[in-house]
Amino acid sequence: MKFAIQTRNDTLSERLRDEAKGYLSDFGLEYDENEPDIVLSIGGDGTLLHAFHKYIHRLQHTAFVGIHTGHLGFYADWKPLEIEKLVISIARKEYDVIEYPLLEVRINYRTSDEVATYLALNESTVKSPEVTLVMDVELNGEHFERFRGDGLCMSTPSGSTAYNKALGGAIIHPALPAMQLTEMASINNRVFRTVGSPLVLPSHHNCVLTPVNGPDFMVTIDHLQLLHKDVKSIEYKVSGQRVRFARFRPFPFWKRVHDSFIASDE
Ligand code: NAP
């Protein structure tokens, strides 16, 4: 089995990387940055987002596992002290693989037939670089509302504990193949109206955002932020692809939510 390690580049994460690399090599596993079967992400959830995008071209073949060197994460849920145990389980292949839904993003342009496609593990957001964002929101081909405000966020279930949560979105269990649209400071008065509540869409639905005022937008895909010019529309749907995580022990999602937001015994 081949493995790779992604770190946050701090001293502790680097030390743990050297330790894990040494142990796994002693067990006869091969370090392969290009085609790993398993990727250890050492740092935080942000580090795992980087690892995900690094190996996005081989999601069917690579499983991820996260070790946190800061606070408990949703993707990074192993403690540094558990690294020896983790490495032994990897070497013995004593793990299950669980899969989480992803978000597919397609950006169409006015001036070309080119389509930019992305996969997000957490979410994609759309903001206007200068003025208020004005977007027509279409659900399954039907006009739903004209949004005016700071921006819109479409998140995955596993990303629902990230930016989505800060925007008042619901926490969605990652066993549900869904995506969630949340508003950022919508303008609501007697003239302008949006639904004002997060929308949870199932996997056979799609959402298309069409610009009303200006063609240039900041679109984020997880930690990546890009200015897209001459945007005709942005399409969202639950992807047919999924991300795979190696699970070595039960750590139920709601327990992680509890330990992250209510109280942790760490
Ligand atoms: P960052 O700004 O350095 O960190 C954002 C924070 O979000 C970190 O504390 C990170 O945890 C946490 N996080 C990431 N994924 C999470 C998840 N699925 N559930 C709960 N917390 C999560 O940016 P970054 O590290 O590059 O991460 C990019 C992410 O930041 C975006 O995908 C977005 O979700 C999030 N973000 C949140 C807000 C907000 O809450 N207002 C605003 C912008 C972006 P770790 O410390 O463990 O890495």
Side-chain angles (χ1 to χ4, degrees):
M1 187 163 59
K2 294 183 281 190
F3 71 99
I5 303 179
Q6 174 90 22
T7 76
R8 189 166 46 190
N9 296 324
D10 58 285
T11 316
L12 176 58
S13 302
E14 301 273 286
R15 184 170 63 71
L16 289 173
R17 181 200 54 201
D18 295 344
E19 242 174 68
K21 201 170 170 180
Y23 285 142
L24 286 168
S25 303
D26 290 347
F27 275 113
L29 275 71
E30 187 190 335
Y31 189 80
D32 185 340
E33 286 248 5
N34 298 319
E35 295 187 333
D37 302 301
I38 191 158
V39 172
L40 282 75
S41 161
I42 307 178
D45 284 338
T47 317
L48 204 131
L49 292 175
H50 282 80
F52 168 80
H53 284 280
K54 182 169 177 183
Y55 294 104
I56 203 159
H57 57 288
R58 46 176 292 116
L59 293 179
Q60 284 180 329
H61 309 288
T62 299
F64 298 87
V65 58
I67 299 129
H68 62 88
T69 49
H71 55 92
L72 169 71
F74 278 85
Y75 304 121
D77 55 6
W78 279 79
K79 296 177 203 162
L81 285 175
E82 296 175 301
I83 203 137
E84 221 174 303
K85 209 163 93 186
L86 179 65
V87 158
I88 293 169
S89 303
I90 293 173
R92 291 185 181 155
K93 292 191 182 154
E94 287 171 349
Y95 59 86
D96 297 321
V97 170
I98 57 155
E99 297 186 342
Y100 283 176
L102 296 169
L103 177 71
E104 183 180 308
V105 186
R106 292 171 64 85
I107 304 179
N108 304 294
Y109 301 94
R110 291 178 181 183
T111 45
S112 76
D113 293 335
E114 187 200 342
V115 182
T117 58
Y118 301 94
L119 279 182
L121 174 55
N122 267 354
E123 78 285 291
S124 166
T125 67
V126 184
K127 292 177 191 170
S128 174
E130 280 157 13
V131 292
T132 299
L133 181 85
V134 188
M135 283 271 181
D136 277 331
V137 178
E138 194 181 275
L139 300 178
N140 305 325
E142 297 278 341
H143 182 258
F144 181 75
E145 67 182 11
R146 179 161 288 185
F147 174 89
R148 283 181 177 79
D150 282 2
L152 286 162
C153 171
M154 187 69 90
S155 81
T156 64
S158 61
S160 65
T161 49
Y163 203 167
N164 167 78
K165 185 173 182 296
L167 296 170
I171 297 179
I172 307 274
H173 194 286
L176 297 172
M179 58 183 180
Q180 181 172 189
L181 183 68
T182 45
E183 302 179 349
M184 296 175 200
S186 56
I187 301 174
N188 264 292
N189 52 37
R190 279 196 290 181
V191 183
F192 305 129
R193 188 143 305 281
T194 63
V195 69
S197 299
L199 302 180
V200 179
L201 309 176
S203 56
H204 59 289
H205 285 195
N206 68 68
C207 173
V208 179
L209 307 179
T210 310
V212 178
N213 70 333
D216 301 345
F217 298 92
M218 292 305 303
V219 180
T220 67
I221 307 290
D222 300 332
H223 56 287
L224 310 163
Q225 181 162 306
L226 282 172
L227 179 68
H228 289 263
K229 289 181 174 286
D230 295 315
V231 173
K232 187 167 143 197
S233 63
I234 301 171
E235 301 172 30
Y236 290 123
K237 68 175 184 177
V238 176
S239 172
Q241 296 193 65
R242 292 162 79 84
V243 60
R244 300 160 75 241
F245 290 100
R247 271 280 169 265
F248 299 87
R249 51 156 155 72
F251 192 3
F253 180 71
W254 296 121
K255 170 90 178 118
R256 269 179 280 158
V257 172
H258 171 272
D259 290 358
S260 294
F261 296 118
I262 313 285
S264 170
D265 52 11
E266 276 184 67

